[in-house]
Amino acid sequence: MKTPVVMVAVGLGLLAFVGTASTKPAMGRSMHRMPPSIAPGDVAIHTAFAMLNAPPQMRAAVGQSDRTSTSASIAAIADGVLVVDDETGTLTLLDKLGKPRASASVGRIAGQLAVDRERSTVFVANRAGDTIEVLQYGKALTKKARFVTAAEPFGVALTPNGETLLVTTVAGRALQAFASDSGDVLWSIDIGPEARAVAISPDGKEAVVSFLGSGAIARVALDTQKVRFEAIGATRSTTEEGVNLGRSQNVPQRFSRNAFAATFVGNTAVVAYQQSTPKAIAVNQQESRGTYGGSSAGNPPLVHRLAFMPRGWNSPGRAHVRMQMPRAIAYDAAQDELLIADLSTDEVISVAHATNGEMAAGQRYTIRDANQASGSVEMCGPKGVATTSEGKVVVHCSLSKRVAFVDRKDNNKVTFSPVLAKSKLSAAAKRGRMLFHKGGDARLSSRGAMACANCHPEGRNDGLSWRIEGTDLQTPLLAGRMNGTHPFKWDGQDKDLHTSLMHTVVRLGGHGIAPSDAKDLQAYLENMEGVRVAGLANATLSAKQHRGKALFNREDVGCRTCHSGKNYSDGKSYEMGDDLDKVNTPSLIGLAASAPYYHDGSAASLRALVLGNASVQGMGHMEILDDKEVDELIAFLETL
């Protein structure tokens, strides 16, 4: 086996060394020799695909099911494609050539869909309306039913027999099961915060749920609803099967995040995720102030991986894949191939021979969406991927709102559908949305290694504290917090959002953006909706939450002294007597979804903030509250 190009990650980016490396596969692994000019321990060798340890033996699915058992934004049907646009809540039915046949609104904001091909029925998550919209498809799209869910449904999947529909809810923090014919709730279990994808095994015995920020998946036995959590990240080590991760004394702590995509191959769950290294480590006892996470010893701030997780605890496998923002994954049984959609680089990456023990890098399909009207090239923003019975790869372009058709029998020729929905964003905000998700752009970060959405997925936060200029600073929540909350940065150094954006990319090691780019990003960020609040029915406070609000407003408790106004911030900075000279008062909007807390992330929960840091840092007088009052205050804070 020969590999023509070896990618070497140095610091925050990638450098290419062109040559030939001889490798010998063993137990499904691809081992890569280091170029002789590179000193061992100083760099991390990454290729397009490399197994970090032997993958488990996976049994391929038999044929193609009539039901989609993996939540997705796009699905192939017998004579076309169904796709849902999350921003506008538009469901579109296309024919095999990409011509729209029908469309329907399923809500103001949509989640994902699942299709029962046998019954010509599609189930779509109405994320803003807390329902599953059930439609019949054929020559048209006809609404059949509506299932009421917990708050903010996102992922949907059907059991192989089509009898049960599973739904993840983001704000509701639940996995719910519905009878697919009647909409009756069969069961509902607490699954934790920020659930996203759901996938069901081909035998219908197990489901897995992925999460934005927990670093684990939930494995659910569908007969008993018993849940266990399993870490998706590889165990920390100095080296991982030939992929060098730096000097042994300088191995950093790494965190698994952004697991938006999961599927099954046989009874093995396959999950795409991001691995973050937020704190730069010292090299020769010297801390580098010029990096943003990772290290100059060969640990990049972000890498992306696949986890192969068989049922039970035996022999999980991990693989490195050269991508930047995986958002969807599908298994093509006919080709024995995994397909992963990369939102930030406009690529679909394939992993060939998924089940025969010779797993290796396959094709990379580049999805370039040319806007013929303006002559410019727009980002596609792949957020969904599937294959048709004819072998074409179909891709949901979430940013340009088209569907791409990749004809693997015609030299991977790419064609596009018309624009399927009209964005609600202004022209500037649309440009800002593309820039926010753009990977490989050296203007934004060192060698383009990080995109805004890597640390702020969906405008949220990754729950990590990054080492920046000698200080640990936690990633702030953006969604719903950008209007009227100046100044920005934890020390309040930036007077407005435009200034903050110009400075942020320089902090990331980027070359810098033009003022017009910052203006576009600002337009997008200021249009982001706030995160949904769990447990706040019909915007009405419970008695407990009302008592907590009264405590929050009490002068002797002191919360409102600084967290004032509609954004719960006075816009001032205060001396706190720690590693920052001054700390800006953060907005409390979306507080429950923005853990950890305090500028350095030292408070893991709201309770830790109230009982620990709030008193230690002099941010209030929590010592006067009894346990019941603490619970009431926290109950109110969770509604903001």
Side-chain angles (χ1 to χ4, degrees):
M1 176 176 169
K2 298 204 173 193
T3 305
V5 178
V6 175
M7 302 304 294
V8 182
V10 181
L12 301 182
L14 295 174
L15 299 177
F17 287 78
V18 181
T20 300
S22 297
T23 62
K24 182 179 180 181
M27 298 178 65
R29 289 176 286 202
S30 295
M31 307 290 286
H32 301 278
R33 294 180 182 174
M34 300 179 66
S37 59
I38 304 301
D42 289 338
V43 295
I45 304 299
H46 292 316
T47 59
F49 176 85
M51 287 307 303
L52 304 183
N53 55 315
Q57 295 298 312
M58 297 193 293
R59 178 175 57 83
V62 179
Q64 181 174 333
S65 171
D66 285 332
R67 286 95 186 183
T68 53
S69 297
T70 296
S71 59
S73 63
I74 191 169
I77 56 177
D79 56 353
V81 174
L82 285 161
V83 62
V84 62
D85 176 61
D86 54 345
E87 182 213 336
T88 63
T90 303
L91 175 69
T92 305
L93 172 65
L94 301 91
D95 65 18
K96 291 183 178 181
L97 299 178
K99 181 180 179 180
R101 289 164 47 185
S103 66
S105 174
V106 295
R108 186 170 58 82
I109 304 172
Q112 298 184 319
L113 58 76
V115 176
D116 187 331
R117 300 179 183 89
E118 183 177 300
R119 301 175 185 175
S120 299
T121 302
V122 56
F123 303 82
V124 191
N126 177 354
R127 188 169 178 177
D130 302 341
T131 61
I132 296 297
E133 302 297 320
V134 187
L135 298 93
Q136 192 87 29
Y137 65 86
K139 293 182 179 180
L141 289 168
T142 306
K143 292 190 177 182
K144 290 177 54 180
R146 173 176 293 165
F147 304 164
V148 177
T149 69
E152 202 174 358
F154 182 85
V156 286
L158 283 162
T159 53
N161 62 13
E163 295 178 358
T164 304
L165 181 78
L166 296 188
V167 181
T168 61
T169 60
V170 178
R173 303 185 178 192
L175 176 67
Q176 295 185 292
F178 295 84
S180 62
D181 55 354
S182 65
D184 293 338
V185 178
L186 303 177
W187 47 264
S188 181
I189 56 177
D190 183 359
I191 207 71
E194 300 292 359
R196 290 301 187 272
V198 58
I200 302 172
S201 61
D203 61 9
K205 294 182 178 180
E206 181 184 42
V208 296
V209 176
S210 69
F211 299 87
L212 187 149
S214 72
I217 60 167
R219 306 192 77 129
V220 183
L222 296 183
D223 56 348
T224 63
Q225 294 87 61
K226 182 178 180 181
V227 182
R228 66 178 174 87
F229 291 88
E230 186 173 342
I232 53 178
T235 303
R236 188 170 74 170
S237 62
T238 56
T239 59
E240 291 179 322
E241 299 295 342
V243 180
N244 189 281
L245 296 177
R247 294 185 177 92
S248 60
Q249 70 268 33
N250 289 320
V251 178
Q253 188 172 8
R254 301 170 297 183
F255 300 87
S256 301
R257 292 293 186 267
N258 296 0
F260 279 90
T263 192
F264 271 93
V265 179
N267 292 330
T268 297
V270 184
V271 184
Y273 67 100
Q274 174 179 303
Q275 182 175 278
S276 301
T277 305
K279 296 185 180 180
I281 54 178
V283 177
N284 298 325
Q285 288 75 50
Q286 297 294 318
E287 180 181 352
S288 173
R289 297 295 183 99
T291 60
Y292 196 99
S295 78
S296 57
N299 298 281
L302 302 174
V303 295
H304 289 87
R305 291 183 167 169
L306 297 178
F308 304 93
M309 310 176 76
R311 189 173 295 167
W313 298 94
N314 58 310
S315 303
R318 304 292 188 274
H320 171 87
V321 286
R322 184 165 54 85
M323 58 196 312
Q324 195 154 347
M325 206 176 293
R327 280 298 183 270
I329 187 169
Y331 175 63
D332 182 354
Q335 301 291 324
D336 193 24
E337 183 177 59
L338 285 163
L339 296 166
I340 309 130
D342 190 339
L343 175 61
S344 72
T345 63
D346 284 350
E347 289 184 314
V348 172
I349 298 150
S350 69
V351 177
H353 315 304
T355 65
N356 68 6
E358 295 294 331
M359 195 177 290
Q363 294 281 335
R364 295 180 79 88
Y365 307 107
T366 300
I367 315 298
R368 289 284 181 259
D369 192 355
N371 185 336
Q372 300 299 322
S374 64
S376 64
V377 176
E378 296 181 325
M379 279 183 68
C380 161
K383 219 175 208 180
V385 61
T387 55
T388 68
S389 57
E390 292 84 11
K392 289 185 178 180
V393 177
V394 288
V395 182
H396 170 211
C397 293
S398 66
L399 298 181
S400 63
K401 302 189 184 304
R402 302 171 188 258
V403 170
F405 293 77
V406 182
D407 191 343
R408 293 186 284 192
K409 297 177 182 178
D410 187 10
N411 199 31
N412 296 333
K413 180 181 178 181
V414 181
T415 57
F416 293 92
S417 74
V419 175
L420 302 177
K422 184 178 180 180
S423 174
K424 295 177 287 188
L425 299 176
S426 67
K430 285 193 289 185
R431 292 192 298 269
R433 179 181 60 183
M434 291 187 182
L435 195 58
F436 187 84
H437 294 92
K438 188 172 177 53
D441 192 330
R443 295 175 301 164
L444 302 174
S445 65
S446 178
R447 299 182 180 90
M450 302 174 79
C452 304
N454 281 125
C455 295
H456 300 282
E458 295 188 347
R460 300 176 187 237
N461 66 333
D462 58 10
L464 300 176
S465 295
W466 290 77
R467 189 72 173 172
I468 305 170
E469 297 174 352
T471 303
D472 292 347
L473 298 176
Q474 65 118 317
T475 306
L477 175 76
L478 303 181
R481 281 191 179 180
M482 296 294 99
N483 292 292
T485 57
H486 58 283
F488 294 95
K489 300 289 190 296
W490 277 107
D491 57 4
Q493 65 176 273
D494 293 334
K495 64 179 181 179
D496 53 38
L497 183 55
H498 187 276
T499 303
S500 183
L501 292 167
M502 297 286 285
H503 286 172
T504 295
V505 296
V506 175
R507 268 186 166 182
L508 288 169
H511 299 325
I513 55 177
S516 59
D517 293 326
K519 185 176 180 181
D520 291 342
L521 277 170
Q522 179 176 348
Y524 174 59
L525 293 176
E526 289 180 343
N527 268 280
M528 279 185 176
E529 293 195 25
V531 299
R532 294 281 301 279
V533 174
L536 187 59
N538 301 316
T540 301
L541 296 179
S542 67
K544 181 178 182 178
Q545 292 161 345
H546 267 296
R547 292 193 296 271
K549 181 179 181 179
L551 290 168
F552 185 87
N553 290 325
R554 264 174 45 182
E555 186 174 348
D556 59 337
V557 177
C559 301
R560 268 295 187 187
T561 303
C562 299
H563 294 287
S564 57
K566 65 178 183 180
N567 290 317
Y568 296 89
S569 173
D570 61 4
K572 298 178 181 179
S573 298
Y574 297 91
E575 293 182 3
M576 293 292 186
D578 53 19
D579 52 355
L580 289 181
D581 292 335
K582 291 186 176 182
V583 178
N584 182 54
T585 305
S587 168
L588 301 186
I589 298 297
L591 189 66
S594 64
Y597 303 102
Y598 201 55
H599 78 276
D600 58 359
S602 56
S605 65
L606 284 175
R607 182 168 295 277
L609 176 69
V610 170
L611 295 180
N613 290 63
S615 298
V616 171
Q617 302 297 339
M619 294 189 294
H621 300 287
M622 303 299 111
E623 70 278 0
I624 69 174
L625 303 180
D626 60 29
D627 290 344
K628 179 175 177 290
E629 289 172 324
V630 168
D631 289 341
E632 292 169 345
L633 177 59
I634 291 172
F636 170 68
L637 293 175
E638 289 175 338
T639 70
L640 299 179

